[in-house]
Amino acid sequence: MTLLLWTTVAAYAATPVAATAPLAVVPAAVAVHHPAAESESAVQADNGELTPLSVPPETPPTLDQVQAPPPPAPVTNGPPAAPLPTNGEALQSDIVVTGRNGAIAPDPLRALNETSFKATQAVDDAVVGPVARAYTKAAPKPFRRGVHNVLYNLREPVVFVNFLLQHKIGKAAETVGRFAINTTIGVAGLFDMAKRKPFRLPRRGNGFADTLGFYGVPNGPFMFLPIVGPTTVRDLFGGVVDRLILPVAFGSRVTKPEVAIPLGVLGALDHRSEFDDTLHALHDNVADPYANTRRFYLQRRQAEIDHLRGRSTGSSSPMSEAPKAALDDGGREMPPVSKPID
């Protein structure tokens, strides 16, 4: 039996097809020998010995006759891939990157906000705007600049506290220096001596709303409120917290009507006169003044927060100071607005 097995293996090993054909096309009878096949491939001689039966091997199919199995379908967990183009066009791989714009705030109360905006504009056109322009013409520029400096000097404690909350110790120390210099040498803040030589300490804006934005708190819904103007839930809450700091820094006297009302009136006139040109650019000869105002406010607020994060070279001036030009989404100055940008 052993001799028969070796003889059979040697015969197949000498066959060219077995030596050269790929394993996938070799017939199963060539590669596999079942024990039962031995009784059919041998004849018993008269002497009792088994003699191999010479049977020519079956001619294996050629490569052209063998049909390769279809390739397996790709396994994917996503939606089916788009069909390949058949018009000869080159395949292109388009990568679409989407991101969240930090300057975007939802406007679920747009109808109410637009009503408030129109009412505020009517009052501004009839009263506030003319009074602010009269103040600009009647009051000498040194006086108006002095009022502006005093109002900002009163906010320096708020700026200082929020720089501390943002772990910007160097800027917090500079703010203390500005407040000390302008309160003493600058005559209670009437003159901004800190920005001049040899001090060179620039004025910076900051507030609790900026701190919230610095740590990633979103804007929340946008609102346009009477007196307050454009704001968001985050900015409105931050402004309330800022006002709580003033009595701590200057005492309860700043909350008394005889002090708070004059400061409020002067602050409103200063703010309106500073923003007169910007408001004309946002509102005049545009299809949607409300959308322009909303977008301008949000993009400038985001530019200020990006500046605090070190992600932008945009302006860090306070919101009550009008920019020299409108700002784009990256905080860069752009030409005055002449069409809706919403």
Side-chain angles (χ1 to χ4, degrees):
M1 182 67 68
T2 303
L3 177 61
L4 175 61
L5 290 175
W6 279 108
T7 304
T8 306
V9 173
Y12 284 120
T15 305
V17 175
T20 59
L23 293 179
V25 297
V26 175
V30 175
V32 179
H33 301 282
H34 195 277
E38 296 180 359
S39 61
E40 298 176 0
S41 60
V43 179
Q44 186 175 9
D46 295 339
N47 56 6
E49 294 183 0
L50 291 177
T51 303
L53 179 63
S54 179
V55 179
E58 182 182 357
T59 304
T62 63
L63 294 178
D64 295 336
Q65 296 173 339
V66 177
Q67 183 177 4
V75 179
T76 175
N77 295 327
L84 295 177
T86 57
N87 56 358
E89 295 180 357
L91 294 176
Q92 294 182 355
S93 178
D94 295 332
I95 300 176
V96 179
V97 179
T98 59
R100 180 179 181 274
N101 187 349
I104 293 177
D107 195 1
L109 304 175
R110 174 158 185 156
L112 183 61
N113 288 334
E114 286 184 319
T115 301
S116 177
F117 173 78
K118 292 176 181 178
T120 302
Q121 283 303 113
V123 174
D124 183 82
D125 293 340
V127 180
V128 180
V131 172
R133 285 186 284 270
Y135 168 76
T136 302
K137 292 180 179 180
K141 186 174 182 179
F143 174 81
R144 289 185 282 112
R145 180 52 54 187
V147 170
H148 187 82
N149 291 337
V150 169
L151 293 173
Y152 275 90
N153 194 58
L154 292 174
R155 281 193 56 85
E156 296 289 13
V158 175
V159 176
F160 163 74
V161 169
N162 284 281
F163 274 135
L164 285 182
L165 293 176
Q166 297 159 14
H167 299 154
K168 297 181 179 292
I169 307 303
K171 288 183 173 59
E174 290 182 358
T175 303
V176 172
R178 275 188 54 83
F179 182 72
I181 293 169
N182 288 339
T183 302
T184 55
I185 303 177
V187 190
L190 194 63
F191 303 99
D192 191 356
M193 303 300 296
K195 72 177 182 180
R196 304 178 184 179
K197 294 181 180 180
F199 308 110
R200 296 293 189 183
L201 298 176
R203 174 183 291 155
R204 297 185 176 94
N206 211 338
F208 192 68
D210 297 297
T211 299
L212 294 176
F214 179 81
Y215 287 109
V217 177
N219 285 305
F222 176 81
M223 298 177 291
F224 195 99
L225 303 178
I227 301 176
V228 177
T231 187
T232 62
V233 172
R234 182 190 66 193
D235 290 355
L236 186 64
F237 176 75
V240 172
V241 175
D242 291 342
R243 286 172 175 79
L244 298 177
I245 298 176
L246 293 177
V248 177
F250 299 105
S252 60
R253 62 181 178 274
V254 297
T255 62
K256 294 181 179 180
E258 58 269 23
V259 177
I261 292 177
L263 288 178
V265 171
L266 288 174
L269 290 175
D270 176 72
H271 177 88
R272 182 59 180 78
S273 62
E274 286 280 328
F275 266 85
D276 190 61
D277 292 339
T278 303
L279 292 177
H280 279 296
L282 291 173
H283 300 161
D284 295 350
N285 302 318
V286 297
D288 195 345
Y290 167 79
N292 257 12
T293 301
R294 175 180 176 272
R295 179 66 178 272
F296 174 80
Y297 175 84
L298 293 176
Q299 69 184 19
R300 190 175 183 206
R301 287 292 294 121
Q302 188 62 40
E304 293 177 350
I305 293 172
D306 288 342
H307 185 87
L308 288 172
R309 292 174 172 176
R311 299 178 182 176
S312 170
T313 58
S315 171
S316 63
S317 62
M319 279 296 292
S320 58
E321 285 188 350
K324 296 179 181 179
L327 302 178
D328 64 12
D329 290 328
R332 298 177 295 272
E333 292 187 357
M334 58 187 296
V337 180
S338 58
K339 60 181 180 179
I341 54 178
D342 191 27

